[in-house]
Amino acid sequence: MSTTCPECNKLIDQHNKPAHQQLNLISKIPGSHLFKCKACDSYLHFHENMWEMLLEGFYNTDNQSAQTQRVA
């Protein structure tokens, strides 16, 4: 079972798809961009027109905020 949101899953499956609305740019150097997803808290890397999952987050399939579902 995936712990990432459907949009992040699409990015990984369709490597050159444009970033989705929930991604925040964290870092940018020439040819490399690091993003964090607001929907599932995953970290993604975009390099050479390919998406790479660096760290999977947590996606709540009950349509509630992932933040409220975390256990400390």
Side-chain angles (χ1 to χ4, degrees), residues 11-45:
L11 288 178
I12 300 305
D13 292 341
Q14 303 168 6
H15 296 286
N16 60 356
K17 184 180 184 237
H20 67 82
Q21 295 288 331
Q22 296 295 317
L23 290 182
N24 283 335
L25 180 64
I26 295 174
S27 177
K28 180 179 174 181
I29 59 174
S32 179
H33 298 79
L34 179 63
F35 294 89
K36 183 177 180 183
C37 178
K38 293 187 287 184
C40 64
D41 289 334
S42 294
Y43 288 86
L44 293 100
H45 181 232

Side-chain angles (χ1 to χ4, degrees), residues 51-70:
W51 287 98
E52 173 185 21
M53 180 70 62
L54 296 179
L55 181 65
E56 287 188 4
F58 174 78
Y59 182 68
N60 182 5
T61 57
D62 295 332
N63 294 325
Q64 295 177 353
S65 169
Q67 297 289 338
T68 61
Q69 295 299 310
R70 292 214 175 105

